[in-house]
Amino acid sequence: MDDTTTTQDAAAESGMVSAQRLQSIIDRVERLEEERKALASDIKDIFLEAKSAGFDVPVLRQLLRIRKQEPSEVEEQETLLHLYRHALGM
């Protein structure tokens, strides 16, 4: 075992921060944030494309939210919406 590993092990045991491990974590988070930014830009472009094709973007976003839910949750929400609309005479 080399001195660096021994020092890092001792630092970990004593509660000191390992600079190498910390740098690795920070680098990974920064890389993922950049990827997230690029993906958000791609999604924005797709919505712009949908809008230019005549689709209603807020409705598309609502469809995406619904698709993430369990079918039973969607059914319950639709039932309540129907009930509330009926109560309001809509």
Side-chain angles (χ1 to χ4, degrees), residues 15-16 27 36 42 47 51 57-59 63 70 76-78:
M16 293 173 46
D27 290 345
R36 179 172 45 187
D42 291 346
F47 280 125
K51 184 176 182 177
V57 173
V59 173
L63 283 172
E70 292 294 321
E76 181 182 347
Q77 287 178 358
E78 289 176 351

Side-chain angles (χ1 to χ4, degrees), residues 42-75:
D42 291 346
I43 292 169
K44 181 180 177 184
D45 291 344
I46 293 169
F47 280 125
L48 287 173
E49 176 186 337
K51 184 176 182 177
S52 69
F55 291 101
D56 187 314
V57 173
V59 173
L60 292 177
R61 290 183 187 278
Q62 186 175 2
L63 283 172
L64 289 167
R65 278 192 304 272
I66 290 170
R67 287 173 56 105
K68 291 178 186 177
Q69 296 176 331
E70 292 294 321
S72 60
E73 291 176 16
V74 174
E75 185 179 343

Side-chain angles (χ1 to χ4, degrees), residues 81-90:
L81 180 60
H82 177 75
L83 178 66
Y84 293 172
R85 285 178 141 177
H86 183 72
L88 294 172
M90 297 175 67

Side-chain angles (χ1 to χ4, degrees), residues 7-21:
T7 304
Q8 288 176 346
D9 290 343
E13 288 176 14
S14 68
M16 293 173 46
V17 176
S18 166
Q20 185 178 17
R21 177 77 171 140

